[in-house]
């Protein structure tokens, strides 16, 4: 987190405007999602903006984010940006924000960016992990950070079923009714099922995601893994293009936004792929 400004950021400093990007992680269990809502509804955005405003000496701060996560969903690789006329060292934005945030939200890095950088619209791909705790007994620990599934899951069946979703497809069958995306056609770059002790981790990277898309995919794959539907059902759901064919939407607690990818011109700090307790899986081939 060096404070030296890149040339484009130095030009902004001369103009008196700074665009700052932040890395953010949070436990979503207490929040109604990332996006600011009506007064009194706890959101990650509202908490961050309030904390950053204090660092800015009371000047208002408005954030844009890479992915507007839903209620109860977590992130360990969220990227946000804001514009400000307040000149602070990058470390001051990190440490100052964290001093004013609850323990379940942390700013992990800050970096000055050129004005044409946009946390949302500059993103080329997003990566999520859905963490399933597969055991007959419900876990007493991390109950709000993993999804418990008591049915024995066959990961080999889940992997076979997942294969049909890689590539460019119409994901209408995995789209929530309230989804506002202009197109249901998305490109899935990888969809891996990783076994790690009692955990089964669904690791998915795509150019963009529909509302509830990952949780709906997880629901289909868990149903197949439990032997309640054949492997072929996944493609039948995908081809049908109708949400009601796709079964139950999986619980939000196991879902994490873990990484956002940007063009090479935007060099952002690199961290391990989370969540923390699965960081050793960062480069796992699946």
């Amino acid at each position: 987190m060096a404070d030296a400004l890149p040339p484009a950021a130095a030009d902004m400093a001369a103009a008196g405007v700074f665009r700052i990007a932040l890395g953010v992680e949070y436990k979503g269990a207490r929040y109604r999602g990332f996006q600011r809502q009506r007064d009194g509804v706890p959101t990650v955005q509202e908490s961050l903006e309030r904390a950053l405003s204090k660092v800015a000496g009371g000047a208002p701060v408005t954030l844009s984010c890479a992915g507007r996560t839903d209620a109860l969903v977590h992130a360990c690789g969220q990227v946000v940006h804001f514009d400000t006329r307040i000149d602070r060292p990058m470390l001051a934005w990190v440490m100052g924000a964290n001093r004013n945030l609850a323990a379940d939200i942390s700013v992990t890095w800050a970096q000055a960016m050129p004005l044409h950088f946009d946390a949302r619209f500059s993103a080329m791909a997003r990566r999520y992990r859905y963490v399933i705790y597969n055991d007959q007994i419900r876990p007493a620990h991390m109950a709000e950070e993993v999804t418990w599934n008591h049915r024995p899951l066959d990961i080999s069946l889940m992997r076979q079923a997942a294969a049909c979703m890689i590539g460019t497809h119409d994901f209408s069958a995995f789209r929530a009714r309230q989804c506002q995306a202009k197109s249901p056609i998305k490109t899935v770059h990888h969809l891996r099922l990783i076994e790690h002790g009692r955990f089964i981790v669904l690791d998915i990277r795509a150019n963009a995601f529909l509302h509830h898309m990952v949780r709906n995919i997880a629901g289909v794959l868990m149903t197949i893994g439990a032997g309640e539907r054949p492997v072929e059902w996944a493609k039948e759901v995908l081809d049908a293009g109708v949400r009601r064919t796709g079964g139950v939407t999986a619980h939000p607690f196991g879902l994490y936004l873990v990484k956002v990818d940007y063009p090479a011109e935007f060099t952002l700090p690199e961290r391990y792929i989370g969540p923390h307790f699965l960081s050793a899986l960062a480069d796992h081939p699946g």
Side-chain angles (χ1 to χ4, degrees):
M1 287 177 289
D3 291 335
L5 298 178
D11 291 342
M12 287 192 300
V17 177
F18 304 89
R19 176 156 292 188
I20 309 298
L22 304 176
V24 183
E25 62 183 31
Y26 48 86
K27 177 180 175 180
R30 288 198 309 120
Y31 301 95
R32 297 300 300 171
F34 181 89
Q35 188 174 14
R36 188 195 312 106
Q37 300 181 38
R38 64 184 183 275
D39 290 346
V41 176
T43 65
V44 177
Q45 181 177 5
E46 191 272 337
S47 297
L48 278 168
E49 288 176 346
R50 187 172 59 243
L52 291 164
S53 178
K54 292 180 179 179
V55 182
V61 170
T62 301
L63 294 174
S64 296
C65 72
R68 292 180 287 186
T69 52
D70 291 340
L72 311 179
V73 172
H74 317 298
C76 36
Q78 177 72 275
V79 178
V80 303
H81 84 261
F82 64 97
D83 293 337
T84 182
R85 294 184 178 277
I86 306 301
D87 188 2
R88 296 278 188 270
M90 293 301 107
L91 186 60
W93 289 113
V94 175
M95 303 306 292
N98 287 340
R99 277 195 298 270
N100 291 288
L101 285 166
D104 51 8
I105 305 176
S106 291
V107 174
T108 57
W109 52 261
Q111 184 164 299
M113 301 298 292
L115 280 175
H116 65 282
F117 171 82
D118 187 288
R120 178 183 177 189
F121 295 108
S122 298
M124 299 188 303
R126 295 156 180 86
R127 181 175 175 181
Y128 284 85
R129 279 180 168 177
Y130 190 84
V131 185
I132 304 160
Y133 180 77
N134 191 208
D135 191 84
Q136 187 177 10
I137 306 300
R138 64 177 173 83
H141 305 289
M142 298 194 300
E144 296 179 330
E145 297 170 63
V146 297
T147 289
W148 171 49
N149 190 300
H150 70 278
R151 306 165 297 181
L153 297 177
D154 186 329
I155 194 170
S156 65
L157 295 179
M158 297 170 73
R159 285 171 174 157
Q160 292 175 53
C164 71
M165 300 181 200
I166 299 171
T168 302
H169 303 283
D170 182 334
F171 282 93
S172 292
F174 298 92
R175 174 182 194 167
R177 181 180 299 177
Q178 62 269 41
C179 181
Q180 298 178 356
K182 293 180 179 179
S183 171
I185 299 174
K186 305 298 174 189
T187 300
V188 172
H189 302 300
H190 76 234
L191 175 50
R192 303 167 182 158
L193 278 299
I194 305 164
E195 197 165 23
H196 184 67
R198 298 283 183 185
F199 296 118
I200 293 177
V201 183
L202 187 161
D203 188 316
I204 182 168
R205 179 178 179 269
N207 65 329
F209 289 88
L210 302 169
H211 192 196
H212 288 177
M213 179 172 158
V214 180
R215 291 168 56 193
N216 289 331
I217 289 173
V220 165
L221 295 184
M222 283 191 283
T223 299
I224 292 171
E228 297 174 5
R229 292 278 193 161
V231 168
E232 295 76 21
W233 183 56
K235 190 171 189 312
E236 291 172 7
V237 170
L238 183 66
D239 291 345
V242 179
R243 173 67 203 119
R244 65 176 179 271
T245 65
V248 176
T249 300
H251 200 281
F253 278 163
L255 184 57
Y256 294 78
L257 173 60
V258 298
K259 194 173 190 297
V260 185
D261 294 326
Y262 292 97
E265 66 172 301
F266 302 124
T267 303
L268 298 176
E270 289 284 341
R271 282 172 60 83
Y272 56 80
I273 305 298
H276 300 290
F277 57 93
L278 294 177
S279 58
L281 297 179
D283 298 314
H284 197 291

